[in-house]
Amino acid sequence: MKKLFIAIVMLGSTLMLYAAKADKKVTITVGNESREYWLYVPNNVKAEAPLVLSLHGAGGQCTDKSPFRTNVADKEGCIVAYPQGKMTTFPGLGGMQAYGWSAYGEENFDTDFLKAVVEDVASKYTIDRQRLYCCGFSNGGMMTYVMANTCSNQFAAFAAISGYPINEFHLHHTSDRPVPFLHIHGKADDFVKYSLVPNVIDNMVARNGANPVPEKTTVSGKYTKSIYEAGEGGFPIVFYEIDGMGHNDFTNNTEDNSSAQTMWNFFKQYTLDSPCDKTLKWRPRVETEGYEPKEHGWGVNGRNAILKFGGDLKTDENQNVYRSLQFKTGSYKLSFQSEGDASLTVRAKIQKLTGKQNLILDATVQAGSPAVLPFEVTDGWGEYQITFLRANKNDVITVSNIAIYSSTEENNTGIHTMREAINNNCCYDILGRQVTNPKRGMYIKNGKKVFKVTFK
């Protein structure tokens, strides 16, 4: 009898430990519209708690509590909000209507709603603004990619399972900063096609400047895990390919025996102030040992073209999922290194493929020297093609260390820092020659950064 009493007491203590402080539907007003989300706050939640937004798939409900599981919240002490999608029309699915997300890649009423959910939770509990995370299943995974594009300055890390932008939801990757991203997909998923995920991963890897040759771990019958390690100024991209899994919101075929736990273990490594280079926009690292550019959408040594990237189009087969170079309005600079005889030249071109299709960069530099070439985008988001050309098809030239950075006001002017650098004789032009009296508009280097001289 005594043992039975002790067992009952222990069971009661365990239930109290994992009882929720909040497990309820919440209604908020966003603009002039009422929207709902399900709030889950575990009993062991602490002050300054992390918050996870977990987005259901098309046709789902916030009551599904998908794909992030409440048992993980119980174990880890994080708050979870499960927002409810609106009735949405999906042209790519024959005009089907279902509860879901308008994952078009830009700010809209759904991004406003999700940010409002964060503010509503913050009005009720003390959350850690440095540890906001977003994940989603299927159409919710598509919306997670949108949040990574539009809200990278609010959320620290992202994860998608069985979802990436397809059809009308073409992938945008022009976020304000690089982002840590985890993607989980079933090898048997032919709805949001597993076969197209490598194109998405390629885009995210180049956007983050990660190592394009991953470290792979395979556990037979369970998963293949690819880690695209972070490069300077960026974050890693992690991709799980799950054996036998179709279009599902959960799998126990990860090393954690739970895809939700795997998401959390990825999330918890990052905070919003995890260091990164916010100016980094694209660094494909085509020269990496073991990387075959042709297998990743590059044209190589085609007549006068040394390297060429961009230009794929939407087809029924690729469901609008292809490798793409994208920019939004702003000032940028292209840097690269070429190797070849000093008498040879390299012509770098960047042309817009959408809208006006204008040429935004066309510059020729001497081979064998590092190049830094500024350019401007003035007409909003678009897709682009980049080409490196030689004057004659028989010229022997290689191009490497290709990177594109934004030229923010802070990084281009830096007047006080630049004056100090000049006074200390530690500024150089883009050819490596010391500069002691730079002229207005001249591009010079201070350490690894390139600045435009704007002294008044």
Side-chain angles (χ1 to χ4, degrees):
M1 192 69 176
K2 184 176 180 181
K3 290 183 178 179
L4 178 60
F5 175 76
I6 293 172
I8 293 172
V9 169
M10 291 179 64
L11 176 60
S13 299
T14 301
L15 291 174
M16 287 179 65
L17 177 63
Y18 291 109
K21 281 190 175 182
D23 192 8
K24 62 182 181 180
K25 184 177 287 187
V26 179
T27 301
I28 61 175
T29 300
V30 185
N32 297 319
E33 187 177 30
S34 291
R35 299 288 301 263
E36 296 176 334
Y37 72 94
W38 196 274
L39 176 63
Y40 188 84
V41 182
N43 187 58
N44 62 336
V45 70
K46 298 177 182 178
E48 300 293 324
L51 170 63
V52 178
L53 261 57
S54 181
L55 312 181
H56 64 74
Q61 298 286 328
C62 62
T63 51
D64 297 340
K65 299 178 181 177
S66 166
F68 198 85
R69 298 297 174 93
T70 56
N71 65 332
V72 178
D74 290 333
K75 178 182 175 184
E76 305 294 346
C78 59
I79 299 173
V80 190
Y82 299 94
Q84 176 63 54
K86 290 177 61 174
M87 185 61 68
T88 302
T89 301
F90 296 91
L93 296 176
M96 180 190 81
Q97 289 191 321
Y99 288 106
W101 309 100
S102 294
Y104 290 100
E106 300 291 345
E107 293 269 6
N108 61 20
F109 55 85
D110 272 336
T111 58
D112 290 344
F113 168 49
L114 297 179
K115 287 187 284 187
V117 169
V118 172
E119 297 306 319
D120 193 66
V121 175
S123 72
K124 298 175 172 66
Y125 297 91
T126 305
I127 63 172
D128 185 347
R129 295 279 186 167
Q130 298 297 311
R131 294 190 292 165
L132 303 181
Y133 308 108
C134 183
C135 63
F137 160 62
S138 190
N139 178 230
M142 299 174 194
M143 192 66 198
T144 298
Y145 274 95
V146 174
M147 294 298 285
N149 186 55
T150 61
C151 299
S152 63
N153 286 332
Q154 288 85 44
F155 290 81
F158 303 84
I161 182 168
S162 305
Y164 55 83
I166 59 174
N167 299 317
E168 65 270 25
F169 303 138
H170 183 49
L171 176 64
H172 285 47
H173 48 90
T174 56
S175 55
D176 289 340
R177 69 177 182 103
V179 293
F181 207 104
L182 166 70
H183 190 106
I184 302 172
H185 220 96
K187 293 181 179 179
D189 189 347
D190 199 38
F191 184 62
V192 179
K193 293 182 179 179
Y194 159 72
S195 61
L196 296 176
V197 184
N199 296 336
V200 177
I201 298 300
D202 275 358
N203 284 333
M204 297 298 288
V205 167
R207 168 66 187 91
N208 272 271
N211 188 333
V213 179
E215 287 190 1
K216 288 197 174 189
T217 302
T218 298
V219 178
S220 181
K222 287 197 169 187
Y223 65 86
T224 296
K225 177 183 180 181
S226 298
I227 300 176
Y228 298 83
E229 291 185 334
E232 182 181 0
F235 292 110
I237 303 297
V238 179
F239 175 33
Y240 281 83
E241 302 162 81
I242 307 299
D243 292 335
M245 176 181 164
H247 191 66
N248 296 317
D249 71 339
F250 179 83
T251 179
N252 56 14
N253 279 353
T254 67
E255 67 265 50
D256 307 297
N257 299 312
S258 162
S259 51
Q261 185 67 54
T262 297
M263 289 178 183
W264 176 257
N265 290 346
F266 179 75
F267 288 157
K268 70 181 182 180
Q269 301 174 76
Y270 305 103
T271 66
L272 198 57
D273 57 5
S274 293
C276 68
D277 181 356
K278 291 186 178 182
T279 70
L280 173 62
K281 299 304 170 187
W282 191 67
R283 190 171 63 218
R285 299 171 66 177
V286 294
E287 68 282 353
T288 302
E289 184 178 356
Y291 182 73
E292 297 294 338
K294 284 185 178 180
E295 296 177 7
H296 297 270
W298 286 81
V300 181
N301 290 326
R303 296 182 64 84
N304 287 55
I306 305 166
L307 287 170
K308 183 177 183 180
F309 183 83
D312 292 340
L313 298 172
K314 176 182 177 179
T315 66
D316 290 339
E317 184 179 358
N318 69 24
Q319 291 187 282
N320 209 16
V321 180
Y322 50 83
R323 301 173 183 93
S324 173
L325 175 61
Q326 304 176 14
F327 304 109
K328 58 184 179 180
T329 296
S331 300
Y332 300 89
K333 54 179 177 279
L334 165 67
S335 64
F336 63 93
Q337 175 69 50
S338 61
E339 298 293 339
D341 189 276
S343 64
L344 303 178
T345 58
V346 177
R347 183 183 179 190
K349 294 175 60 177
I350 300 179
Q351 182 173 10
K352 191 173 184 182
L353 301 176
T354 51
K356 295 180 181 179
Q357 300 187 356
N358 53 313
L359 194 64
I360 61 170
L361 175 65
D362 188 356
T364 300
V365 299
Q366 197 171 24
S369 300
V372 180
L373 305 173
F375 64 94
E376 299 280 338
V377 174
T378 60
D379 53 353
W381 175 88
E383 295 185 276
Y384 292 83
Q385 182 178 83
I386 186 169
T387 311
F388 298 91
L389 297 150
R390 54 198 160 199
N392 299 292
K393 66 179 183 180
N394 294 324
D395 290 348
V396 179
I397 307 172
T398 60
V399 173
S400 61
N401 297 321
I402 302 165
I404 294 176
Y405 297 87
S406 65
S407 299
T408 63
E409 190 69 17
E410 176 186 358
N411 286 328
N412 271 346
T413 56
I415 292 175
H416 178 67
T417 301
M418 190 57 64
R419 286 198 187 281
E420 288 184 345
I422 291 168
N423 291 338
N424 292 323
N425 296 320
C426 58
C427 278
Y428 301 84
D429 68 12
I430 61 174
L431 297 180
R433 298 171 298 199
Q434 192 173 78
V435 177
T436 57
N437 187 26
K439 298 178 180 179
R440 184 193 305 271
M442 182 179 185
Y443 281 81
I444 57 179
K445 290 183 178 181
N446 179 19
K448 292 185 178 180
K449 292 187 177 180
V450 176
F451 297 83
K452 185 177 182 180
V453 179
T454 57
F455 297 153
K456 297 179 181 179

